[in-house]
Amino acid sequence: AQTVTQSQPEMSVQEAETVTLSCTYDTSESNYYLFWYKQPPSRQMILVIRQEAYKQQNATENRFSVNFQKAAKSFSLKISDSQLGDTAMYFCAFTRGLTGNTPLVFGKGTRLSVIA
Amino acid sequence: GAVVSQHPSRVICKSGTSVKIECRSLDFQATTMFWYRQFPKQSLMLMATSNEGSKATYEQGVEKDKFLINHASLTLSTLTVTSAHPEDSSFYICSPRVQNTIYFGEGSWLTVV
């Protein structure tokens, strides 16, 4: 079974600074998909970034980028120029496929606080 | 863009009663629906997977007779918590999938008193 581990329950960062959230996963699949989701106090799940395992290039979305190390099974999220609105829970998630009955498996989450 | 509507957003029910949570995809048809449960300060845990017109597949430890899932159409799935108990109080989230895109409902807070 696939597992996702987020070893940082809580983190804080000063506004405008950069922070990196860690995520490791375990799978025997060769192709899969990784995600970072943001969950603000509203509890709405918001997709931050997505990475296909077969793509070597790290995904980026504006201030958000990932460091995907397939051999190490590591998928960290870097948030640059942190903003107060980035304060939220961040979940790393894995799925072995985007078709059929393949659900997302979530890590336990990292609570990020951006401090003014 | 695609919108998923989940209702009610908050519900309080008495112990022993049943409550139904609806999840509607407003501008797409979802062949697969995932239902997750999230306890306070915890992660999302998969409860069950359903396909339109088929019986749901439940995760280990999830009582299928207690958490009834109906996926009768491509735009509507429901989760009914039967004979609710205080320990069923949680945040429930639906997640429809279409093609290669995953969506999430806004979630439903259930409090059983």
Side-chain angles (χ1 to χ4, degrees), chain A residues 20-78:
Chain A
T20 298
L21 308 184
S22 301
C23 174
T24 59
Y25 58 94
D26 188 24
T27 183
S28 59
E29 304 285 339
S30 59
N31 194 31
Y32 45 86
Y33 300 82
L34 295 162
F35 304 81
W36 278 97
Y37 281 93
K38 172 184 179 181
Q39 189 181 46
S42 69
R43 292 285 183 135
Q44 176 70 55
M45 296 294 286
I46 301 168
L47 177 64
V48 175
I49 204 162
R50 158 178 155 172
Q51 175 84 43
E52 288 88 351
Y54 62 87
K55 290 186 177 179
Q56 293 186 339
Q57 187 172 7
N58 289 325
T60 63
E61 285 289 339
N62 301 313
R63 298 183 294 108
F64 300 88
S65 61
V66 297
N67 183 1
F68 174 47
Q69 300 290 327
K70 191 172 184 179
K73 297 181 181 176
S74 171
F75 183 62
S76 61
L77 174 70
K78 185 172 81 171

Side-chain angles (χ1 to χ4, degrees), chain B residues 58-83:
Chain B
Y58 291 82
E59 295 299 298
Q60 190 174 9
V62 178
E63 300 175 57
K64 63 178 182 180
D65 295 329
K66 182 172 187 58
F67 298 98
L68 302 180
I69 291 172
N70 185 289
H71 194 167
S73 77
L74 290 171
T75 58
L76 174 64
S77 178
T78 60
L79 167 66
T80 301
V81 183
T82 63
S83 187

Side-chain angles (χ1 to χ4, degrees), chain B residues 69 95 99 110:
Chain B
I69 291 172
S95 178
Q99 297 177 344
L110 170 63

Side-chain angles (χ1 to χ4, degrees), chain A residues 2-4 39 43 45 91-93 103-109, chain B residues 34-49 57-62 67 69 79 90-95 104:
Chain A
Q2 292 85 10
T3 58
V4 178
Q39 189 181 46
R43 292 285 183 135
M45 296 294 286
F91 292 100
C92 179
L104 287 173
V105 177
F106 290 90
K108 291 187 175 182
Chain B
F34 301 100
W35 284 93
Y36 293 88
R37 179 175 183 175
Q38 186 180 26
F39 288 109
K41 298 185 178 181
Q42 293 190 24
S43 187
L44 283 74
M45 299 300 294
L46 181 68
M47 297 177 66
T49 303
T57 301
Y58 291 82
E59 295 299 298
Q60 190 174 9
V62 178
F67 298 98
I69 291 172
L79 167 66
S90 186
F91 188 67
Y92 294 88
I93 309 174
C94 66
S95 178
F104 286 93

Side-chain angles (χ1 to χ4, degrees), chain B:
Chain B
V3 178
V4 179
S5 176
Q6 187 173 339
H7 289 281
S9 57
R10 289 182 179 273
V11 57
I12 301 173
C13 71
K14 291 185 177 181
S15 186
T17 63
S18 297
V19 62
K20 180 184 288 187
I21 299 169
E22 291 188 349
C23 181
R24 293 181 184 273
S25 52
L26 300 183
D27 57 0
F28 65 92
Q29 294 181 326
T31 53
T32 304
M33 182 70 73
F34 301 100
W35 284 93
Y36 293 88
R37 179 175 183 175
Q38 186 180 26
F39 288 109
K41 298 185 178 181
Q42 293 190 24
S43 187
L44 283 74
M45 299 300 294
L46 181 68
M47 297 177 66
T49 303
S50 70
N51 293 295
E52 184 261 340
S54 303
K55 288 186 177 181
T57 301
Y58 291 82
E59 295 299 298
Q60 190 174 9
V62 178
E63 300 175 57
K64 63 178 182 180
D65 295 329
K66 182 172 187 58
F67 298 98
L68 302 180
I69 291 172
N70 185 289
H71 194 167
S73 77
L74 290 171
T75 58
L76 174 64
S77 178
T78 60
L79 167 66
T80 301
V81 183
T82 63
S83 187
H85 289 278
E87 56 265 31
D88 299 326
S89 298
S90 186
F91 188 67
Y92 294 88
I93 309 174
C94 66
S95 178
R97 176 175 297 182
V98 59
Q99 297 177 344
N100 65 347
T101 304
I102 302 167
Y103 301 95
F104 286 93
E106 306 102 320
S108 299
W109 278 107
L110 170 63
T111 302
V112 185
V113 298

